[in-house]
Amino acid sequence: MSGEMTQTFSDRLRGIHAATIVPMTAEFEIDETSLAAHLAAVASTPGINGLLVNGHAGENFVLSLAEKQRVVELAREYAPKDCLIVSGVNHESSLEAAREAAVLERAGADGLLVFPPNSWALAHADDCVIAHHRHIRDATSVPLMLYAAPVGAGAMAYAPSLLEQLVADPRFVAIKEGSWEVATYEQNLRLIRKLRPEFIVLGSGDEHLLTSYLVGSAGSQVSLACVVPELVVSLWNAAEAGDWERARAAHEKLYPLAVAIYRDAPGGRATVRLKACLKLLGRLSCDAARPPQPRATSNELRALEQALRSAGAL
């Protein structure tokens, strides 16, 4: 029996997983040739254990269900056979989210990551959140993951009492911990470890990977790993070995790039900036993102180019 077959989903989720982008043509259609090349190149990087497709970096909020299905199919076709494929599920309607999840499972996803609908940023009742996740759970059979949204995303970030209810569902086995704030990350980590010690917590705030690895993490699903996968892997490997001097050195190279992509206002430009980085690196011919996002500005490009040079990528 192969190693892949003897490992559980949780086992395979450990380490570094790249959250990938979706190349577009100038007319905003998916460029399948470029997407296949992107998926294959990132997934084949030594130390990249899997891919998160149809995440925020993959513009899941502006893709049709047929397009999301195609992304999963291409990932399954072009990534190495032992590559773990997790697909995001993101829809405002719980019924449509459940339908989407079932389609993406049939397309070949090994697991599904449930994103909170954007409308929850304003306000929501806990019962709505539980019901949304249950609709998806009941429509699927693969392992499921939670998403901890950034604390700056309003009510999308789950309070500890709500997170406790979500973690109690045995179909959910992991969380992409994207609180993007160290104190909340540690609070959630400690709560989850107390409730379910086997539950996988992935430190996925690209700007503070080093801190999350120091506090405790099973790995990460991050879009930074689709731009500089070798550097993210080197940070993780150093942290896993307890070589904090080497880990800090990798962090020093990554930090300016993480700031240029994710922190510089407005923060919602991350996907555009990821694509701009890949074009600057010669890995993408067109850096278009779907409207309403315009392409990177001259100021963004200057900051990204400088950060890529600091990271040793250029």
Side-chain angles (χ1 to χ4, degrees):
M1 184 177 292
S2 68
E4 177 186 348
M5 294 299 292
T6 59
Q7 286 188 313
T8 66
F9 175 83
S10 295
D11 291 334
R12 297 176 65 201
L13 197 56
R14 294 178 180 276
I16 300 300
H17 299 250
T20 51
I21 57 96
V22 175
M24 302 279 181
T25 67
E27 293 74 34
F28 309 115
E29 297 298 324
I30 292 180
D31 182 343
E32 289 199 4
T33 301
S34 295
L35 175 56
H38 173 65
L39 295 167
V42 174
S44 298
T45 303
I48 295 295
N49 295 340
L51 300 177
L52 169 61
V53 300
N54 294 322
H56 290 147
E59 298 178 77
N60 61 10
F61 37 85
V62 294
L63 298 186
S64 69
L65 176 52
E67 288 173 327
K68 294 177 190 179
Q69 177 182 348
R70 187 62 180 145
V71 171
V72 173
E73 290 170 347
L74 289 171
R76 191 82 278 162
E77 181 177 356
Y78 287 96
K81 297 304 179 186
D82 61 348
C83 180
L84 188 75
I85 306 296
V86 174
S87 176
V89 174
N90 191 356
H91 206 288
E92 297 298 312
S93 162
S94 297
L95 298 179
E96 288 302 313
R99 177 171 171 261
E100 177 177 299
V103 169
L104 297 175
E105 176 179 343
R106 289 195 298 271
D110 296 304
L112 300 168
L113 169 61
V114 182
F115 286 99
N118 290 332
S119 60
W120 291 359
L122 298 175
H124 56 74
D126 286 2
D127 287 349
C128 292
V129 178
I130 300 300
H132 186 79
H133 286 78
R134 285 178 178 170
H135 274 288
I136 294 168
R137 177 199 67 188
D138 294 344
T140 58
S141 61
V142 293
L144 301 173
M145 296 179 61
L146 301 169
Y147 178 73
V151 294
M156 289 175 73
Y158 303 136
S161 59
L162 178 53
L163 181 61
E164 184 171 345
Q165 295 179 67
L166 292 168
V167 169
D169 190 327
R171 279 289 308 286
F172 288 85
V173 300
I175 186 168
K176 177 176 164 66
E177 218 303 336
S179 292
W180 225 273
E181 197 272 329
V182 174
T184 303
Y185 173 82
E186 184 164 358
Q187 172 185 266
N188 289 345
L189 173 72
R190 289 177 179 271
L191 173 64
I192 292 168
R193 282 182 170 174
K194 180 180 179 181
L195 296 171
R196 287 179 61 187
E198 81 284 1
F199 205 88
I200 297 295
V201 178
L202 300 177
S204 294
D206 298 70
E207 290 183 74
H208 58 86
L209 294 179
L210 175 61
T211 309
S212 65
Y213 296 164
L214 182 62
V215 172
S217 172
S220 293
Q221 286 176 326
V222 284
S223 51
L224 200 56
C226 84
V227 176
V228 284
E230 296 88 354
L231 194 51
V232 177
V233 168
S234 71
L235 170 60
W236 169 252
N237 288 342
E240 275 287 270
D243 188 343
W244 298 110
E245 182 176 354
R246 186 159 57 94
R248 282 194 299 270
H251 174 71
E252 285 300 312
K253 291 183 176 181
L254 281 169
Y255 185 76
L257 185 57
V259 169
I261 293 173
Y262 306 100
R263 188 191 306 176
D264 284 352
R269 298 278 291 161
T271 298
V272 170
R273 293 166 178 170
L274 289 165
K275 288 186 169 185
C277 284
L278 292 170
K279 187 175 181 181
L280 287 168
L281 292 169
R283 300 180 201 157
L284 202 61
S285 59
C286 177
D287 59 357
R290 279 209 174 145
Q293 289 290 353
R295 294 187 187 182
T297 65
S298 57
N299 287 340
E300 287 175 317
L301 289 172
R302 280 194 294 271
L304 292 169
E305 183 174 358
Q306 183 177 352
L308 287 168
R309 292 190 185 282
S310 296
L314 275 177

